[in-house]
Amino acid sequence: MTRPGREAEGARASAAAGAALLAASARTRFGVFQAGLESAEDPEYTVLPQRERPRRRQAGQSGARGRV
């Protein structure tokens, strides 16, 4: 037999865990969004590597990960 109020404690704990997961997910989503905005302001680290890949392919060089 469970003691009275035990189910309510579990429900509160579940609600708190759900709220924490929701907050973490929102922070991650907004963090990725912010990173995209910063990347758009200075595209050097995005655009230049994309332009270099076809040149490396034509020259016969592989990418940093071994495949292009």
Side-chain angles (χ1 to χ4, degrees), residues 8-63:
E9 290 175 14
R12 282 193 294 268
S14 293
L21 288 171
L22 180 67
S25 176
R27 287 184 57 94
T28 300
R29 184 175 294 255
F30 286 121
V32 170
F33 179 74
Q34 183 65 33
L37 291 177
E38 290 181 18
S39 176
E41 288 178 9
D42 186 13
E44 175 183 357
Y45 298 106
T46 305
V47 175
L48 291 180
Q50 290 175 355
R51 289 183 181 166
E52 285 295 320
R53 279 186 214 131
R55 292 182 191 141
R56 284 195 306 249
R57 279 188 202 133
Q58 290 174 351
Q61 298 174 352
S62 67

